[in-house]
Amino acid sequence: MVYESIIEATEEFDAKYCVGVGGHGSVYKAQLRTGETVAVNKFKEAVEVEIASQKAFEREIHTLIRARHRNIIKLYGFCSSSRHSFLVYEFLELGSLKDILNGEERITTFDWKKRLNVIKGVAYALSYMHHECSPPIVHRDLSSKNILMDEEYEAHVSDFGTAKVLRPYSSNWTSFAGTFGYVAPELAYTMEVKEKCDVYSFGVVILEVIMGRHPGNLISSLASSASSSSSNSTASCWHLKQALDQRIPYPHGDTLGEVAFIVKMALTCLSAKPEHRPSMQQVSQEISAHRSIVIGASGDIKLEELVDPGCFPY
């Protein structure tokens, strides 16, 4: 009955109900006969992608059945028939974090308090996946497009089609997965999946939330600075004031100190060496403590002063 209701609500998956497109299919908004609105992720059916889509479909089901957390998307059910394969989720009103950051409509209301709350929510979800699920779950494709937002600006990690369960005593080597610009650098020469890969992606997401855009140039500057002893490196030119999103008022007081600490945490997560990155459990504990950094009278600080290599030598 639910299957037929979804087909009816989307008019056989008409394009006008499509609210997003992912690597393995498209997401549709469906209002059921009960009045409830759900999101339906319909997987591709073309012959050339059928095997990959089927694997992603099964992987997402198995992962979301095991992972239950307020900051992880809720899976209501799934359907696999000769006609269609799809997953049914809760519908989140504001769409993806990427949509919010790229749009001008809501950006002025996406203030520092809401942004810090989004970062905390994602940290809690990843800490749960890495440290409270047994065996641990690695997302492998954390990015702003895979973080969905409800009307309270609460973050929900989604799209587990490439997630990897780290089973003990088995190989955790796998094919490449992830979104360009968010993938940990070690995956360029090794295909071994570890939790620290998610930690790096989380660092990118933090900076994207704080800057209002993907931090590609800043990450490149930090990487070149780490490999250079010169004080004239490009990273030394970056200041907190220029890095923060200019579309909303500059933070002050305790909020500025907390934003600066979050940036410091992001830079630690982006360490080129996985062993120098904190675990997500450490990150969530630090964030929960509402730590802040004292900023001088100028209200600014160089980002290189926030870089603390070897802070978490685990």
Side-chain angles (χ1 to χ4, degrees), residues 69-114:
H69 189 275
R70 63 174 294 178
N71 295 112
I72 293 177
I73 193 80
K74 289 186 178 67
L75 176 68
Y76 290 151
F78 62 91
C79 173
S80 181
S81 72
S82 58
R83 293 169 62 198
H84 304 294
S85 292
F86 55 78
L87 305 172
V88 183
Y89 307 99
E90 62 179 327
F91 182 78
L92 298 175
E93 299 82 359
L94 298 187
S96 72
L97 173 60
K98 184 176 182 178
D99 291 339
I100 292 174
L101 292 173
N102 289 345
E104 299 301 320
E105 183 181 344
R106 296 192 185 97
I107 200 65
T108 54
T109 59
F110 193 32
D111 57 28
W112 295 113
K113 183 179 179 180
K114 290 186 177 79

Side-chain angles (χ1 to χ4, degrees), residues 249-270:
Y250 193 73
H252 295 284
D254 292 342
T255 302
L256 175 59
E258 194 171 352
V259 168
F261 178 79
I262 289 291
V263 172
K264 178 184 177 71
M265 183 63 67
L267 300 180
T268 309
C269 291
L270 291 171

